[in-house]
Amino acid sequence: MKLFCPILLLLFIQSASAQVQVTKLDKKTVPASVKYSGHIIDAVKYKDSGGEYLVITTETGETPTKNSEMEGRDAALYAYHYTIEGNGVYKSTWQTYDFIKDCPVDINASFIPGTFAVTDLDKNGKAEVWLMYKTVCHGDVSPSNMKIIMHEGDKKYAVRGTNKVKLSATETEGGKYTFDEVFKNGPEAFRQYAAKLWQKNIMETWK
């Protein structure tokens, strides 16, 4: 029993140290040395078994297209991921960038509110960073392109498809999606989380 208790204590300490710890930031607390485009949507620091990290998501909103013949507009979104090194240096480890260019009609490139998350679904001590967003250039009632991008360390997972729009009281269009091969071969917990996230945000909401 004397040996058993220290082993239990050691296991508890190891388990606690492997938990992902997330701290929300705002624009004022993002280090000045970290450069980004657009305005901040989400910003967090987190710790996992591999170290300490910073994630920022941003959107540009609509901007005029330079030299456009159709008076088009652009819109872009970004996600920046940094490793925080011991000397306070922020080292870029991955970046997500998507956009719409020279759109003469309705345009959107934006993260879906409430979908950004840092998790550890497979309980391996390595954080998963979840991004979900939509992009579209259209002048009618049609679905938007929609994506889920997830990073666990240096591995990227993606779900691609469209959201769903209501055409009439009985008709809808869109809503289908596909997992990429990394998702298909990854943990079941990742696919379940992604599928629930998709279904929760499947219907188009008009601003």
Side-chain angles (χ1 to χ4, degrees):
M1 185 66 179
K2 290 182 180 180
L3 179 62
F4 187 64
C5 289
I7 292 174
L8 281 179
L9 179 60
L10 177 61
L11 290 173
F12 175 79
I13 292 172
Q14 289 175 337
S15 175
S17 65
Q19 290 179 353
V20 174
Q21 303 171 19
V22 183
T23 303
K24 289 186 177 182
L25 306 176
D26 58 29
K27 184 177 180 178
K28 294 179 181 178
T29 53
V30 172
S33 60
V34 174
K35 305 303 179 183
Y36 56 88
S37 297
H39 60 276
I40 291 176
I41 304 299
D42 293 290
V44 302
K45 283 185 179 180
Y46 72 88
K47 293 181 180 180
D48 67 8
S49 60
E52 187 174 10
Y53 308 90
L54 170 70
V55 188
I56 302 172
T57 66
T58 69
E59 299 171 3
T60 64
E62 296 183 23
T63 57
T65 304
K66 294 181 179 179
N67 304 317
S68 173
E69 296 179 358
M70 302 181 294
E71 296 185 355
R73 287 154 291 126
D74 302 339
L77 55 82
Y78 301 82
Y80 304 88
H81 186 271
Y82 296 89
T83 297
I84 304 173
E85 299 185 343
N87 54 1
V89 172
Y90 290 80
K91 180 180 178 182
S92 177
T93 45
W94 57 258
Q95 180 177 320
T96 295
Y97 168 57
D98 213 334
F99 60 90
I100 297 291
K101 292 283 188 181
D102 202 11
C103 178
V105 287
D106 293 332
I107 183 174
N108 191 11
S110 61
F111 291 98
I112 298 173
T115 60
F116 175 81
V118 179
T119 62
D120 184 14
L121 300 176
D122 56 354
K123 307 299 182 184
N124 66 351
K126 295 181 181 179
E128 305 106 24
V129 179
W130 295 84
L131 312 169
M132 189 175 189
Y133 63 87
K134 60 183 178 181
T135 57
V136 71
C137 172
H138 63 187
D140 57 5
V141 180
S142 58
S144 300
N145 294 319
M146 197 157 67
K147 295 181 184 179
I148 296 173
I149 303 296
M150 187 271 278
H151 284 264
E152 185 190 40
D154 59 0
K155 188 175 289 188
K156 175 184 173 182
Y157 298 73
V159 185
R160 298 178 176 89
T162 65
N163 63 6
K164 185 183 290 187
V165 295
K166 196 169 185 178
L167 302 177
S168 69
T170 58
E171 292 180 291
T172 60
E173 181 182 352
K176 294 183 179 180
Y177 63 89
T178 57
F179 290 108
D180 70 357
E181 289 302 314
V182 183
F183 249 122
K184 289 177 182 177
N185 296 321
E188 177 64 23
F190 293 175
R191 291 189 296 276
Q192 289 179 353
Y193 186 93
K196 289 179 181 178
L197 195 62
W198 197 278
Q199 292 302 317
K200 184 178 179 180
N201 296 280
I202 195 170
M203 291 303 300
E204 178 66 84
T205 55
W206 308 103
K207 293 183 179 180

